[in-house]
Amino acid sequence: MLKGLKVVEFASYIAAPGAAGILADWGAEVIKVERPQGDPMRHVFADAKSELTGNPTFGMDNRGKRAVVLDIAKPEGRDALARLAAEADVFLTNVRPASLRKYRLDEKTLRAANPRLIYAVVTGYGLEGPDAHLPGFDVTAFWSRAGVARMHAPKGSDPFILRTGVGDHTTSLATTSAILAALYEREKTGEGRLVATSLLATGTYVVGSDLAVQLVFGKLASNRPRTDPFDPLANFYKSRDERWFVLNPRGGAADWPVLAGVCGRPDWLEDERFKGGKARKANNRDLVAEFEAAFGALDFDEIARRLDGADLVWAPVQTPAEVAADPQVEAAGALIAVEDGHGGTYRSPNSPAQFPGVVTTQRPAAPGLGEHTRVVLGEIGYSEAEIDAMMASGAAG
């Protein structure tokens, strides 16, 4: 879909490279520009005391790109990056704005040379405000400061850490959306624009349904532990063979008698403790105990058969290994084969959208550091002698 779109990525870690990775998956030409030391994510497994080889975390966000090394602290390196941007449709970065202004790689400068350029910047805390200058990762700006961590920790429990890249990849999706909106606008106006996303704003949007309540009513119910839920029908339970699953009933009370039937307990419908939604909430601990006993007497396969037979909304709580083996995950297009650079492939999470009729069986491997520097510089007019000089001076690598 994006064939012919030229993207220059001057970024590191996950959020911005992830957005460029989605664009690359959808057909864009992405040139990943790194400083001589490389994107830190290249080295995420470098010190692991393990026989594992490869870097699937880096590979996910950087497959199919071309890699160039430029040292913007050297004039030749800075000028080469500006020349790349002058021929691009999109310049995507998460370098802090003050540094970009220092090296004349800011939006005003690059768009003066290329008015059609979409200049996309990803930050921790936004472009304005007292803390806009602060560095931010997803566990700080997205997870903690945006309130996501506090909303997810049950009342009385300690906050817990976020898994790798969750806030980053959510911001990748927001950034991709912003870039595509700006490209659509450019089709009508002929002009590019600045687009900005932040980990903080993405975090507040992700918990927006709850935060909207806080903003209007000035308060919000805390998350509840599993044994004391707000609604016992929307809860996690475990089968006799020790497999967890979650129930998520539809609105209203329509699923209550169906669940009672699934559990083989029609007598619950006449139990005064459970007659009506208010009664069930008031006696939620008792109902949780009843569900635990009923489901705990059945194996998971039998529970699944009954819940599916009743057309109830539920899902197993799967381990990552189970997700990897789930045929529905494969059928949904959630995984894709990526070349491993040695003649084989490995599976990786796919960009989360499908385009029926567009067949993509596998993606190229992530590039090595500076793998395409010479080729890319040659494409924008540098002679072999100029490239050799830049290599010798360290301006390129």
Side-chain angles (χ1 to χ4, degrees):
M1 287 67 62
L2 300 181
K3 185 177 181 180
L5 186 73
K6 295 183 179 181
V7 180
V8 173
E9 171 206 313
F10 183 47
S12 59
Y13 291 104
I14 296 176
I22 294 170
L23 297 174
D25 279 351
W26 296 349
E29 174 194 343
V30 178
I31 298 172
K32 182 179 182 69
V33 179
E34 299 170 78
R35 302 187 193 205
Q37 62 270 33
D39 186 332
M41 292 305 296
R42 285 188 178 277
H43 316 301
V44 70
F45 291 112
D47 297 325
K49 296 180 179 179
S50 169
E51 295 180 356
L52 297 174
T53 58
N55 189 339
T57 301
F58 181 80
M60 174 186 169
D61 295 317
N62 294 284
R63 60 193 180 217
K65 299 177 183 178
R66 295 197 291 171
V68 171
V69 167
L70 296 172
D71 185 352
I72 64 168
K74 299 181 183 299
E76 300 90 342
R78 179 267 163 208
D79 291 345
L81 181 50
R83 283 174 66 171
L84 283 170
E87 297 189 6
D89 295 292
V90 179
F91 182 83
L92 173 58
T93 186
N94 63 353
V95 177
R96 283 192 267 182
S99 180
L100 293 166
R101 286 192 296 270
K102 175 182 176 181
Y103 292 107
R104 294 180 295 113
L105 295 168
D106 55 284
E107 181 255 346
K108 183 178 179 180
T109 302
L110 294 188
R111 289 198 58 248
N114 180 4
R116 288 177 54 81
L117 183 68
I118 308 300
Y119 189 104
V121 59
V122 181
T123 63
Y125 297 104
L127 296 178
E128 304 291 339
D131 295 335
H133 64 287
L134 295 177
F137 284 125
D138 67 345
V139 74
T140 56
F142 171 93
W143 183 242
S144 298
R145 189 156 183 179
V148 188
R150 183 60 69 184
M151 290 190 200
H152 281 79
K155 186 177 181 179
S157 66
D158 294 338
F160 51 89
I161 205 71
L162 178 69
R163 298 296 301 197
T164 303
V166 174
D168 287 317
H169 282 138
T170 308
T171 305
S172 298
L173 291 170
T175 305
T176 301
S177 300
I179 290 169
L180 295 178
L183 287 167
Y184 178 76
E185 180 189 49
R186 192 183 72 176
E187 287 298 303
K188 296 182 292 182
T189 66
E191 292 285 321
R193 68 153 49 247
L194 171 67
V195 300
T197 58
S198 71
L199 294 164
L200 179 64
T202 305
T204 60
Y205 181 78
V206 165
V207 291
S209 296
D210 282 327
L211 188 58
V213 175
Q214 176 70 44
L215 290 168
V216 173
F217 297 138
K219 59 182 179 180
L220 180 69
S222 60
N223 209 2
R224 305 275 286 272
R226 191 190 68 83
T227 54
D228 184 24
F230 179 75
D231 181 358
L233 276 63
N235 204 6
F236 293 87
Y237 294 102
K238 188 165 59 174
S239 65
R240 179 167 57 191
D241 48 349
E242 300 287 314
R243 293 190 63 183
W244 286 98
F245 61 97
V246 65
L247 298 174
N248 190 13
R250 300 170 180 88
D255 283 349
W256 162 238
V258 182
L259 270 171
V262 162
C263 292
R265 294 295 305 273
D267 57 296
W268 287 348
L269 303 180
E270 304 304 320
D271 192 318
E272 293 297 327
R273 297 172 299 167
F274 310 139
K275 277 190 174 181
K278 289 184 178 180
R280 288 192 292 274
K281 289 177 183 177
N283 297 285
N284 62 348
R285 292 176 182 268
D286 290 349
L287 187 50
V288 167
E290 294 282 5
F291 274 128
E292 287 179 334
F295 287 126
L298 301 171
D299 286 339
F300 177 82
D301 288 345
E302 175 61 17
I303 293 171
R305 186 189 68 79
R306 294 188 186 189
L307 292 173
D308 284 340
D311 195 32
L312 289 167
V313 184
W314 74 283
V317 179
Q318 299 201 126
T319 66
E322 289 168 335
V323 173
D326 188 336
Q328 188 57 46
V329 172
E330 190 79 39
L335 305 176
I336 194 167
V338 179
E339 297 170 3
D340 63 8
H342 304 287
T345 63
Y346 64 91
R347 292 192 303 165
S348 182
N350 197 5
S351 299
Q354 302 303 306
F355 303 91
V358 177
V359 180
T360 303
T361 57
Q362 65 185 47
R363 294 288 295 140
L369 181 62
E371 181 178 340
H372 304 98
T373 300
R374 284 187 173 275
V375 172
V376 170
L377 290 181
E379 289 173 351
I380 59 173
Y382 283 87
S383 68
E384 283 297 321
E386 288 174 318
I387 296 173
D388 287 341
M390 290 176 67
M391 291 284 192
S393 71

